[in-house]
Amino acid sequence: MAQASCFQEMFANFIKKLKELDKVKEVSSHFSPEHSLEDMFSYLWGLDEAHTYLRPSLTDTSKSDAESERLRAEGNRFYQKKILDKALKLYNLSIMSAPHPTLSQMNRNSQADPNYDNSNNIKTLPMPEGFDKSNEDTYRSLALGYANRSAVLFELEQYEKCINDIDMALEHGYPKLLHSKLAERKAKCLISQRKETEAKQLLQSSLQALNVISLDETKTKASRDALHQLLQKCEEVGPANSPSEPDCTNMPSYLSSATKEKLLFTYKTPKPPELLHPNPTIPSMASAVRLAFSPMQGRYLVAERDISPGEVLVVEEGYSRVLHLDSSLRTHCSGCLARCLTPLPCPSCSKVVFCSSACRIRGLASYHGRECCTISALAALDMGKNSVLAYRLVIQTSYIYLQDTVPILLSEAWQCAPETLGFNDSGIYDSSDYRTIYHLVTNKKSRSVSDLFKRCAMALILTKLLQESRTFFVNAMGEPFVPTHNDILLTGCTLFVHMMNLPCNAHSITSLQVDVSNYHRSSSQEIGCGAFGVLSLTNHSCNPAAARSSYGSVVVLRAIRFISHGEEVTDCYGEHYGIKSAESRMATLMQQYYFHCSCDPCKYNWPTYLSLTSKLKLKCLKCSKAINCDKQECTKCKLKYNESAGNDLGTGVGSYYCTDIDKQIKQAVINYDDAYKSIIEGTNSTENFNIVCEIIKLIDKYVEQPNKVYFEAQETLKHCLDRQGSCVFKKE
């Protein structure tokens, strides 16, 4: 297959050719906000030069024994030095690169799946007496990769996973003469799990297998002695209940300190919180929030009651999500985006992994089964994360569904009120419904000619890639067909829509990189992005009311400050007042999102973090101006805040005794300082969490903004929330 070119190179050559032909002005006249998507895409598709220069090339995605063996040899070097994280990574890559049997062949024995839970069905039958020579030769590198990885897993005390890898090695033709070595390791796993009866049966059958091997007894003496010693150990120790497999999330106490150090990189993705009271019409959103609309703001979210910091507002698994092709594709599941300790590879390509057999079956039956042959070409095009997400959106939805649904969605866009778009016939805004993504705003009317032209060119290239794949344009029987011009137009225009609405609406999916030697240095890393219909309903503020954290493919939105009844629930699109100046933020927001930000930090030109004051000034509950604590009155409206004014602390309107509140806040600051020290030392407790929320709530109600204490408390709260989600632990 041909070497693929990147989009920028192809597009530059395309523009150069148009200039040579003096056609730039003519072509540009067909692109403007006034033109329909159909007119623009149809014109570009009919341009010969576009097909000559905007031509993606499929690249080789096949597996390689040579590459697998190279990676395994490199892994062996790290294993010998006991650098287990690097050894495991290389063994994973070796398994991914090794030629695999087809999925149907692999499914004949699902219990050999490296992620299959066979804890209640441990194989105790005699070790296989061997495989036919062709099987050994065909999948030798795969079998050796599983066997070597099982050694790392054994040292990490991941006994169940170790057993699964041993079974996979045997399943794929591990050399018969070396079976006793794997039997010894598997027996040790069973003994460590207090399954001595199963271990004894395995050892006895393995010794019998050694007897039938026609080798000089001296060559098998070491293996026999090792098996006999383990057998004696089984007979000396009676059976007992087995402890559960080590839980990498909480670093269980029964693991040795050395093993805990080794397990830093094996963190499991936790389950996201549940919405206890979902909104009746938007199930992914809490009933504490409702959808509102205005011509100026569009659709936005509003608090239906007072909301405290830390409250869960949205729990949403996006309609579609993708991993970054250059960094996360080989370490995270392409289905649920969970980080994989022992990834399960795609049987065809060496790019994609899954966390389980269930995720792999779903992926191969839908999106990855259609993108497998094109994913390398898509990566080579290097058109940005939104183009990859647009491709995934269309390919997972399927052409047959688009053919039936897009005309209906276009009719809805013309006939329905903007605030009702995305709701189905039952009046539900369902995150799993494609219409919630299709109807997201594109800002087409605000886009320049050059922007529309470039995005249309991207849509054209993606359409051609779908065409060349021969997996997208298929009939109900799964048989490929040659698409008509109308088929091309429907697909291209749909991609064009997503090339415009995703840059304004897609959300990042992250993983917190936790530095356990200094939690203060922990940082969030973007591993992918997704299309989330509900999260896209939030408007931006440079001082947001809520923040997102990721749990694999699920994103959770929580309040990070007190939100009063009727107040807007805002998110941050990446431009925060504490990091960038108002001028810089507004320029970026206008360039990407096409709106003029009018939040308080932009309106009043709040200083960035380094220029914030740490002094906490009490504010008037009526006009929000500073209170003169010496005179105990507002400097502007003269509202009294002395003892005779009463002590109204809960309504948010009226006065209070400023001396009492001042004492309350000073004590909250002391509590926060202690909690912060505990948090950066690694204790992410409920008590610390509540203390951080309390200082934020008090400052929100009674202190003038902005100030450094508030900013730092919010950042601490966001760290606590991220620590509850997807994390990777490391130690510098």
Side-chain angles (χ1 to χ4, degrees):
M1 295 186 181
Q3 178 67 37
S5 300
C6 73
F7 169 75
Q8 293 297 341
E9 180 183 342
M10 289 190 289
F11 190 68
N13 290 333
F14 178 42
I15 297 296
K16 181 180 178 181
K17 187 63 177 178
L18 293 179
K19 289 179 178 178
E20 289 175 359
L21 298 174
D22 197 25
K23 293 180 68 173
V24 173
K25 187 175 181 179
E26 175 196 334
V27 171
S28 298
S29 67
H30 290 270
F31 293 85
S32 73
E34 289 72 35
H35 284 83
S36 69
L37 298 183
E38 292 83 355
D39 287 344
M40 288 186 279
F41 187 85
S42 183
Y43 172 79
L44 190 61
W45 187 265
L47 205 62
D48 290 339
E49 293 82 3
H51 289 278
T52 301
Y53 291 93
L54 304 178
R55 182 191 296 273
S57 301
L58 295 183
T59 55
D60 188 9
T61 61
S62 61
K63 297 175 182 288
S64 163
D65 272 316
E67 179 66 4
S68 176
E69 290 172 7
R70 182 189 71 79
L71 291 164
R72 189 177 70 255
E74 192 175 348
N76 290 344
R77 288 194 289 273
F78 283 106
Y79 178 72
Q80 289 162 4
K81 297 175 184 178
K82 298 305 177 186
I83 306 176
L84 298 183
D85 57 338
K86 291 185 178 180
L88 181 62
K89 178 181 178 181
L90 288 160
Y91 290 149
N92 285 341
L93 292 173
S94 175
I95 292 169
M96 290 167 58
S97 300
H100 278 58
T102 63
L103 189 61
S104 59
Q105 291 173 315
M106 295 169 74
N107 284 341
R108 289 173 190 168
N109 189 354
S110 61
Q111 292 182 7
D113 186 312
N115 294 278
Y116 179 81
D117 181 9
N118 63 357
S119 57
N120 295 318
N121 190 24
I122 297 293
K123 291 184 178 180
T124 57
L125 297 176
M127 297 286 283
E129 293 189 6
F131 295 81
D132 60 63
K133 187 66 177 174
S134 62
N135 190 52
E136 270 196 30
D137 290 344
T138 303
Y139 305 120
R140 180 180 181 276
S141 57
L142 180 61
L144 293 175
Y146 277 122
N148 287 22
R149 190 171 75 178
S150 73
V152 176
L153 295 172
F154 178 77
E155 294 208 27
L156 292 175
E157 300 179 29
Q158 299 286 288
Y159 300 124
E160 204 60 60
K161 288 182 171 61
C162 178
I163 289 172
N164 288 330
D165 269 12
I166 289 170
D167 290 343
M168 288 294 280
L170 297 172
E171 180 75 14
H172 292 99
Y174 189 71
K176 180 180 178 182
L177 298 179
L178 300 177
H179 280 195
S180 60
K181 182 173 70 173
L182 293 188
E184 180 184 346
R185 186 176 300 150
K186 184 173 180 179
K188 288 179 179 178
C189 289
L190 293 171
I191 292 170
S192 296
Q193 294 177 313
R194 304 304 305 276
K195 297 178 180 178
E196 286 82 2
T197 301
E198 292 91 334
K200 183 177 179 181
Q201 293 174 355
L202 174 63
L203 291 166
Q204 289 172 340
S205 63
S206 300
L207 285 167
Q208 292 172 4
L210 278 177
N211 292 332
V212 301
I213 296 178
S214 55
L215 285 177
D216 190 292
E217 188 172 338
T218 57
K219 294 182 180 181
T220 61
K221 184 178 185 302
S223 296
R224 291 176 189 277
D225 290 346
L227 295 175
H228 275 300
Q229 287 178 9
L230 288 174
L231 188 58
Q232 184 178 357
K233 185 175 181 180
C234 290
E235 291 171 345
E236 291 174 352
V237 181
N241 293 329
S242 136
S244 60
E245 182 183 355
D247 180 353
C248 307
T249 303
N250 296 317
M251 298 294 184
S253 58
Y254 63 79
L255 294 179
S256 66
S257 59
T259 299
K260 289 179 183 179
E261 289 287 308
K262 297 173 186 176
L263 281 169
L264 283 174
F265 60 93
T266 66
Y267 190 79
K268 294 178 181 177
T269 300
K271 291 183 179 180
E274 294 184 7
L275 284 174
L276 299 179
H277 304 287
N279 186 293
T281 58
I282 307 179
S284 296
M285 188 170 74
S287 59
V289 183
R290 65 176 173 85
L291 180 64
F293 176 82
S294 74
M296 287 295 294
Q297 293 176 274
R299 294 186 292 187
Y300 61 99
L301 302 181
V302 174
E304 278 281 70
R305 58 167 172 79
D306 288 351
I307 296 172
S308 296
E311 282 197 49
V312 176
L313 306 179
V314 176
V315 178
E316 184 175 22
E317 183 166 29
Y319 175 82
S320 186
R321 57 268 175 191
V322 292
L323 294 164
H324 291 334
L325 302 186
D326 59 343
S327 58
S328 307
L329 199 60
R330 294 183 171 187
T331 56
H332 291 72
C333 176
S334 280
C336 66
L337 274 58
R339 189 167 179 270
C340 302
L341 175 65
T342 52
L344 187 61
C346 166
S348 300
C349 75
S350 56
K351 298 288 186 183
V352 168
V353 298
F354 302 93
C355 67
S356 66
S357 180
C359 268
R360 183 170 69 175
I361 290 171
R362 284 193 294 268
L364 294 179
S366 57
Y367 62 90
H368 188 62
R370 300 169 194 148
E371 76 183 7
C372 185
C373 63
T374 59
I375 197 163
S376 291
L378 194 60
L381 284 168
D382 194 21
M383 293 198 299
K385 60 186 179 183
N386 290 314
S387 67
V388 180
L389 182 55
Y391 190 82
R392 171 68 66 83
L393 266 170
V394 168
I395 211 164
Q396 83 171 59
T397 305
S398 83
Y399 178 71
I400 293 175
Y401 184 86
L402 290 178
Q403 187 180 40
D404 294 338
T405 307
V406 168
I408 298 172
L409 302 182
L410 287 170
S411 177
E412 290 176 357
W414 280 103
Q415 298 176 11
C416 298
E419 60 267 36
T420 66
L421 292 176
F423 288 84
N424 61 26
D425 294 339
S426 301
I428 302 297
Y429 194 90
D430 184 354
S431 296
S432 63
D433 190 338
Y434 174 68
R435 63 176 11 101
T436 63
I437 306 303
Y438 186 88
H439 284 310
L440 295 174
V441 295
T442 62
N443 291 309
K444 173 175 174 279
K445 293 181 179 179
S446 301
R447 296 187 181 276
S448 65
V449 169
S450 60
D451 182 86
L452 289 168
F453 178 58
K454 190 171 186 177
R455 294 186 188 282
C456 189
M458 290 179 171
L460 181 142
I461 285 181
L462 294 178
T463 303
K464 291 181 73 67
L465 198 59
L466 289 170
Q467 192 177 18
E468 290 189 28
S469 73
R470 293 181 57 79
T471 58
F472 178 71
F473 292 107
V474 295
N475 59 26
M477 302 296 293
E479 300 165 340
F481 63 86
V482 178
T484 65
H485 180 72
N486 286 338
D487 297 328
I488 294 293
L489 191 61
L490 173 69
T491 304
C493 289
T494 302
L495 284 164
F496 199 176
V497 166
H498 294 313
M499 291 309 301
M500 290 187 289
N501 71 9
L502 289 178
C504 307
N505 292 282
H507 287 76
S508 61
I509 296 172
T510 60
S511 175
L512 185 67
Q513 308 293 303
V514 181
D515 185 347
V516 299
S517 57
N518 187 339
Y519 282 83
H520 190 70
R521 291 201 298 254
S522 300
S523 61
S524 184
Q525 178 185 10
E526 185 174 319
I527 62 168
C529 62
F532 298 86
V534 177
L535 289 171
S536 296
L537 299 174
T538 55
N539 280 341
H540 166 81
S541 171
C542 300
N543 177 32
R548 288 169 275 119
S549 51
S550 302
Y551 293 73
S553 59
V554 177
V555 175
V556 177
L557 183 74
R558 291 185 179 92
I560 57 168
R561 60 178 172 85
F562 177 78
I563 310 170
S564 60
H565 184 195
E567 187 181 353
E568 184 174 0
V569 178
T570 54
D571 191 8
C572 181
Y573 293 1
E575 304 300 309
H576 197 284
Y577 80 88
I579 302 171
K580 296 182 180 179
S581 67
E583 182 181 6
S584 173
R585 296 194 309 270
M586 288 192 283
T588 301
L589 292 168
M590 178 58 72
Q591 181 180 9
Q592 182 170 351
Y593 299 100
Y594 301 97
F595 69 85
H596 179 79
C597 189
S598 58
C599 67
D600 283 353
C602 289
K603 190 186 300 182
Y604 302 114
N605 197 23
W606 284 11
T608 57
Y609 170 71
L610 294 177
S611 301
L612 289 173
T613 178
S614 296
K615 187 175 181 180
L616 301 179
K617 300 177 182 179
L618 296 183
K619 70 179 180 181
C620 175
L621 296 181
K622 182 178 180 181
C623 68
S624 295
K625 296 300 180 182
I627 293 172
N628 185 326
C629 288
D630 292 333
K631 294 183 178 181
Q632 297 185 340
E633 68 176 19
C634 175
T635 55
K636 181 181 180 183
C637 68
K638 305 303 180 182
L639 187 66
K640 296 296 183 182
Y641 285 88
N642 53 28
E643 193 169 8
S644 62
N647 199 16
D648 182 6
L649 303 181
T651 63
V653 178
S655 63
Y656 52 79
Y657 186 22
C658 62
T659 303
D660 282 352
I661 292 298
D662 187 54
K663 289 180 180 178
Q664 194 175 340
I665 289 175
K666 284 179 179 177
Q667 183 59 52
V669 170
I670 293 172
N671 295 341
Y672 166 70
D673 288 341
D674 291 340
Y676 174 75
K677 291 174 185 176
S678 179
I679 289 167
I680 63 172
E681 288 173 359
T683 305
N684 197 28
S685 66
T686 301
E687 181 183 2
N688 286 338
F689 180 85
N690 291 337
I691 290 172
V692 175
C693 289
E694 181 62 21
I695 185 68
I696 292 172
K697 190 172 181 178
L698 284 172
I699 293 177
D700 266 318
K701 283 190 172 185
Y702 303 114
V703 178
E704 193 177 34
Q705 293 280 20
N707 63 77
K708 186 170 287 188
V709 176
Y710 183 74
F711 178 89
E712 291 174 346
Q714 279 193 320
E715 291 302 305
T716 304
L717 176 58
K718 287 191 281 187
H719 172 81
C720 291
L721 296 175
D722 286 342
R723 281 270 300 278
Q724 295 176 23
S726 298
C727 295
V728 175
F729 289 106
K730 61 180 182 179
K731 187 172 184 178
E732 296 297 341

